[in-house]
Amino acid sequence: MKQFLTALALGASAVFASGAAQAATLDQVKQKGFVQCGVSTGLPGFSNPDEKGEWTGLDVDLCRAVAAAIFDDPAKVRFTPLTAKDRFTALQSGEIDVLSRNSTWTSSRDATQGLNFTATNYYDGQGFLVRKELGVKSAMELNGASVCTQSGTTTELNVADFFRTNNLQYEVVAFQGQEETLKAYESGRCEVFTSDQSQLYALRLKLANKDDHIVLPELISKEPLATAVRQGDDQWFDVVKWVHYAMLNAEEAGVTSKNVQEMLNSPNPDIRRMLGVEGNFGEQLGLTKDWVARIVSKVGNYGEAFDRNVGAGSPLQIERGKNALWTKGGLQYGPPIR
Amino acid sequence: MTDATFIPADRPFVRAAMLAPEPPPAAVAGFSGWARANLFSGPFNTLLTLVCAAGAAYVAWVLVDFMALRAVWTGANREACVAPGTGACWPFITARFGQLLYGFYPADQHWRPAAVFFVAVALIAPLLIPSAPHKKLNALLFFVAFPIFAFVMLRGGLFGLRPVETRAWGGLLVTLVVATTGIVASLPLGVLLALGRRSKLPLIRFLSIAFIEFWRGVPLITVLFFATYMLPLFLPSGWTIDGLLRALVGVALFSAAYMAEVVRGGLQAIPKGQYEGAQALGLRYWPMMLLIVLPQALKLVIPGIVNTFIGLFKDTTLVAIVSIFDFLGIIRAGFADPNWATPVTVYTGFAFAGVVYFIFCYGMSRYSRFVEERLDTGHKR
């Protein structure tokens, strides 16, 4: 069914290739006056409506940054909440311009879904949640542990691979749903709960005493959560990709939403180029000279967005880990703006 | 006979008035009699009664305990509800109450859907009460004037009202809009389709059958999915149809097909003599149907019609898969808010949703019972 619909979408978009799919997305967006952004129907810290009905989250902020770069107004975004099933079809059919919905970047999706992944917004991976009282500091100390997992998922296979590769003994206790698995962990049926790390932090909030549990630092699988755009529009692809890199470069250069106005007078040539004081790098992308200044002043740099939505400034308290800048031992690396 | 006429002198008593009737023996009358007959009529039934009563009491206790006794009533964020042993986290509901009712409708415009709601109640209530006067005017207002009023009020853009796009609608507002439109549109459409399916004109019969079988043959999810994500591919670029409108049309056509089959069931139960009698009186097709056949047929299938309505009301939750946040969808979206993630948030949300859906569905069910009893002339068993 899903494959059929995707095939239908691909076929139809091929037939109507002269239509929506190939018109320059950036021009269309400028014309209609807003960015149509696909997000999840609710994933804590990544995209969820807050009490006032405003969408918030790390994925949401990327879309707001794109809107800020184009319109100088982060509110010119319309969010389309999508389920995992219809996210790629929605992108294909032109219902949305950007898919910023915690989608794992894989070769098959890149090749067959008619989309291009722009950049990894969040490096996720499978991790472990344990009770603090066990005194475990690393996944390597989990010899002989009983592990709660959802049955029939890749999560279960990853655990098997990890323990076998590292010659550790373990026992799997598998359950059907996530809530059920979490309940089993909470009631002590097992010592370790495993899922994607960002999920672990979110699920930890649902435990009675969240501070009694810690997420171990190791990642045992690669789940790069990336933003995607439709294939066949390189200009739009560049815009979305460079909005993310701009946020990284801003953080690296220490440009924040608070000091961006002072930074315009900075003597540092990198910062001058980035903020559009020198050169016309934004115009080359089809944006304006001050595109980075717009993003940073309206949405903030990557570090600010991370802290506000999932990091220390949020209830989730996710560590930067692999999502730290490359200068701080992480994987987030923005190519230079020049 | 002799006793009655001959009274011995030593017993001069004659009763002058009738004895007052005695109440029936306690064993058959009143609550205890009813209970004895219906609940405790034998060892097995007594056992069943006790087991069921214990089960019901246990469930009631669990619900009251969770939803009232251990519940938290005030708080500003998740910290209020994280203590172990906490029951329902009501501040999660109260903090989002406006959102649950109206979705992403701008907060300063909430009076508009509220006004529509009150006008709707003011128009429906007298329509549903048989003794209320001016039925024709009332029906005209509700079925013709009210939709226009509601559309203008909710959508805005006229008379200085700020336009609010339908993608900002949500919560109970969307649930009621989808359900009401589906209910109001599906009954007349369904009646027409049912008549069409029994028509003697081959073209009309064929088209009705094709329509009914097509919409019954595809799942509602597919209909909604197709309308939302496939339709834009087939429309010329630049053409868009409002997302909520697509869902509304999908739901209305879908439920019309089901309604048609329910009504056809009623039509088949009307004896041939009714048709022939009507024809013998010189009635043509439409007067015969409207005056003789349909009133009887629809009366027979009230339970089936209301069943379809209740099913439709609950099926509105499926619009969530095409990115429209109905009442249940907006509650579920609230679960993802890290500021309110607690061990009991999910249960609180679903408990609240359950209560609200129950009120609406049970209300419809009770009203259908009332209508059945009122119209039940001559078929009582």
Short mmCIF file of all heavy atoms in Angstrom, two decimals, chain B residues 135-158:
data_model
loop_
_atom_site.label_atom_id
_atom_site.label_comp_id
_atom_site.label_asym_id
_atom_site.label_seq_id
_atom_site.Cartn_x
_atom_site.Cartn_y
_atom_site.Cartn_z
N LYS B 135 -41.53 24.80 13.78
CA LYS B 135 -40.56 23.82 13.27
C LYS B 135 -40.02 24.20 11.89
O LYS B 135 -38.84 24.06 11.62
CB LYS B 135 -41.21 22.43 13.19
CG LYS B 135 -41.21 21.69 14.50
CD LYS B 135 -39.86 21.08 14.78
CE LYS B 135 -39.83 20.40 16.12
NZ LYS B 135 -39.94 21.34 17.24
N LYS B 136 -40.91 24.70 11.02
CA LYS B 136 -40.48 24.97 9.65
C LYS B 136 -39.45 26.09 9.60
O LYS B 136 -38.40 25.97 8.98
CB LYS B 136 -41.68 25.31 8.76
CG LYS B 136 -42.32 24.08 8.19
CD LYS B 136 -43.40 24.41 7.18
CE LYS B 136 -44.09 23.13 6.75
NZ LYS B 136 -45.44 23.36 6.24
N LEU B 137 -39.77 27.18 10.32
CA LEU B 137 -38.85 28.31 10.38
C LEU B 137 -37.53 27.88 10.99
O LEU B 137 -36.44 28.19 10.50
CB LEU B 137 -39.49 29.44 11.20
CG LEU B 137 -38.59 30.65 11.44
CD1 LEU B 137 -38.38 31.39 10.15
CD2 LEU B 137 -39.19 31.57 12.50
N ASN B 138 -37.64 27.12 12.07
CA ASN B 138 -36.47 26.62 12.77
C ASN B 138 -35.59 25.79 11.84
O ASN B 138 -34.36 25.99 11.76
CB ASN B 138 -36.96 25.75 13.94
CG ASN B 138 -35.89 25.56 14.98
OD1 ASN B 138 -34.71 25.66 14.65
ND2 ASN B 138 -36.28 25.27 16.18
N ALA B 139 -36.20 24.87 11.09
CA ALA B 139 -35.44 24.02 10.19
C ALA B 139 -34.79 24.84 9.10
O ALA B 139 -33.63 24.63 8.73
CB ALA B 139 -36.35 22.96 9.58
N LEU B 140 -35.54 25.83 8.59
CA LEU B 140 -35.00 26.70 7.55
C LEU B 140 -33.76 27.43 8.07
O LEU B 140 -32.72 27.50 7.40
CB LEU B 140 -36.08 27.71 7.14
CG LEU B 140 -35.85 28.41 5.80
CD1 LEU B 140 -36.03 27.41 4.67
CD2 LEU B 140 -36.82 29.57 5.65
N LEU B 141 -33.87 27.95 9.31
CA LEU B 141 -32.74 28.66 9.90
C LEU B 141 -31.54 27.73 10.05
O LEU B 141 -30.41 28.09 9.72
CB LEU B 141 -33.13 29.23 11.27
CG LEU B 141 -33.96 30.51 11.25
CD1 LEU B 141 -34.37 30.90 12.66
CD2 LEU B 141 -33.17 31.63 10.62
N PHE B 142 -31.80 26.51 10.57
CA PHE B 142 -30.67 25.63 10.87
C PHE B 142 -30.02 25.10 9.60
O PHE B 142 -28.80 25.05 9.49
CB PHE B 142 -31.11 24.48 11.77
CG PHE B 142 -29.97 23.56 12.10
CD1 PHE B 142 -28.97 23.98 12.97
CD2 PHE B 142 -29.88 22.30 11.55
CE1 PHE B 142 -27.90 23.17 13.27
CE2 PHE B 142 -28.81 21.48 11.85
CZ PHE B 142 -27.82 21.91 12.71
N PHE B 143 -30.84 24.66 8.63
CA PHE B 143 -30.26 23.98 7.48
C PHE B 143 -29.82 24.94 6.38
O PHE B 143 -29.00 24.57 5.54
CB PHE B 143 -31.24 22.95 6.92
CG PHE B 143 -31.41 21.78 7.82
CD1 PHE B 143 -32.59 21.59 8.54
CD2 PHE B 143 -30.39 20.86 7.99
CE1 PHE B 143 -32.73 20.52 9.39
CE2 PHE B 143 -30.52 19.78 8.83
CZ PHE B 143 -31.70 19.60 9.54
N VAL B 144 -30.34 26.17 6.35
CA VAL B 144 -29.97 27.10 5.28
C VAL B 144 -29.17 28.28 5.83
O VAL B 144 -28.04 28.52 5.38
CB VAL B 144 -31.23 27.60 4.53
CG1 VAL B 144 -30.81 28.56 3.43
CG2 VAL B 144 -32.01 26.43 3.98
N ALA B 145 -29.72 28.97 6.82
CA ALA B 145 -29.05 30.19 7.29
C ALA B 145 -27.83 29.85 8.14
O ALA B 145 -26.78 30.49 8.01
CB ALA B 145 -30.03 31.05 8.08
N PHE B 146 -27.95 28.84 8.99
CA PHE B 146 -26.86 28.57 9.93
C PHE B 146 -25.54 28.20 9.25
O PHE B 146 -24.49 28.72 9.64
CB PHE B 146 -27.27 27.49 10.93
CG PHE B 146 -26.17 27.09 11.85
CD1 PHE B 146 -25.73 27.95 12.85
CD2 PHE B 146 -25.52 25.87 11.70
CE1 PHE B 146 -24.68 27.60 13.67
CE2 PHE B 146 -24.47 25.52 12.52
CZ PHE B 146 -24.05 26.39 13.51
N PRO B 147 -25.54 27.30 8.23
CA PRO B 147 -24.25 26.98 7.59
C PRO B 147 -23.56 28.21 7.04
O PRO B 147 -22.34 28.34 7.16
CB PRO B 147 -24.64 26.02 6.47
CG PRO B 147 -25.92 25.42 6.90
CD PRO B 147 -26.63 26.48 7.68
N ILE B 148 -24.33 29.15 6.46
CA ILE B 148 -23.72 30.36 5.92
C ILE B 148 -23.14 31.20 7.05
O ILE B 148 -21.99 31.64 7.01
CB ILE B 148 -24.77 31.18 5.14
CG1 ILE B 148 -25.33 30.32 3.99
CG2 ILE B 148 -24.19 32.47 4.62
CD1 ILE B 148 -26.52 30.92 3.29
N PHE B 149 -23.95 31.34 8.12
CA PHE B 149 -23.49 32.09 9.30
C PHE B 149 -22.21 31.48 9.86
O PHE B 149 -21.22 32.16 10.10
CB PHE B 149 -24.61 32.09 10.35
CG PHE B 149 -24.18 32.55 11.71
CD1 PHE B 149 -23.96 33.90 11.97
CD2 PHE B 149 -24.00 31.62 12.73
CE1 PHE B 149 -23.56 34.31 13.22
CE2 PHE B 149 -23.60 32.04 13.99
CZ PHE B 149 -23.38 33.38 14.23
N ALA B 150 -22.22 30.14 10.03
CA ALA B 150 -21.07 29.46 10.62
C ALA B 150 -19.85 29.62 9.74
O ALA B 150 -18.74 29.89 10.21
CB ALA B 150 -21.39 27.98 10.83
N PHE B 151 -20.05 29.49 8.43
CA PHE B 151 -18.92 29.59 7.51
C PHE B 151 -18.30 30.98 7.58
O PHE B 151 -17.08 31.13 7.71
CB PHE B 151 -19.40 29.29 6.08
CG PHE B 151 -18.30 29.37 5.06
CD1 PHE B 151 -17.41 28.31 4.91
CD2 PHE B 151 -18.14 30.49 4.27
CE1 PHE B 151 -16.39 28.37 4.00
CE2 PHE B 151 -17.11 30.56 3.34
CZ PHE B 151 -16.23 29.50 3.21
N VAL B 152 -19.15 32.01 7.55
CA VAL B 152 -18.63 33.38 7.59
C VAL B 152 -17.93 33.64 8.91
O VAL B 152 -16.83 34.20 8.95
CB VAL B 152 -19.78 34.38 7.37
CG1 VAL B 152 -19.31 35.79 7.65
CG2 VAL B 152 -20.30 34.26 5.95
N MET B 153 -18.55 33.21 10.02
CA MET B 153 -17.97 33.46 11.33
C MET B 153 -16.63 32.75 11.48
O MET B 153 -15.66 33.32 11.95
CB MET B 153 -18.92 32.97 12.43
CG MET B 153 -20.02 33.92 12.76
SD MET B 153 -19.39 35.46 13.42
CE MET B 153 -19.45 35.12 15.17
N LEU B 154 -16.57 31.47 11.08
CA LEU B 154 -15.36 30.69 11.32
C LEU B 154 -14.25 31.08 10.35
O LEU B 154 -13.10 31.23 10.72
CB LEU B 154 -15.66 29.20 11.20
CG LEU B 154 -16.59 28.62 12.26
CD1 LEU B 154 -16.91 27.18 11.97
CD2 LEU B 154 -15.94 28.74 13.64
N ARG B 155 -14.62 31.23 9.10
CA ARG B 155 -13.62 31.49 8.06
C ARG B 155 -13.20 32.95 8.04
O ARG B 155 -12.05 33.27 7.80
CB ARG B 155 -14.21 31.06 6.71
CG ARG B 155 -13.25 31.09 5.56
CD ARG B 155 -12.27 29.94 5.66
NE ARG B 155 -11.05 30.24 4.93
CZ ARG B 155 -10.86 29.96 3.66
NH1 ARG B 155 -11.80 29.32 3.00
NH2 ARG B 155 -9.75 30.26 3.05
N GLY B 156 -14.12 33.85 8.33
CA GLY B 156 -13.80 35.27 8.34
C GLY B 156 -13.62 35.82 6.94
O GLY B 156 -13.96 35.18 5.95
N GLY B 157 -13.06 37.04 6.86
CA GLY B 157 -12.80 37.64 5.57
C GLY B 157 -13.94 38.55 5.11
O GLY B 157 -13.80 39.28 4.15
N LEU B 158 -15.09 38.48 5.79
CA LEU B 158 -16.23 39.34 5.45
C LEU B 158 -16.60 40.14 6.68
O LEU B 158 -16.31 39.75 7.81
CB LEU B 158 -17.43 38.50 5.02
CG LEU B 158 -17.39 37.87 3.62
CD1 LEU B 158 -18.60 36.96 3.45
CD2 LEU B 158 -17.36 38.94 2.55
#
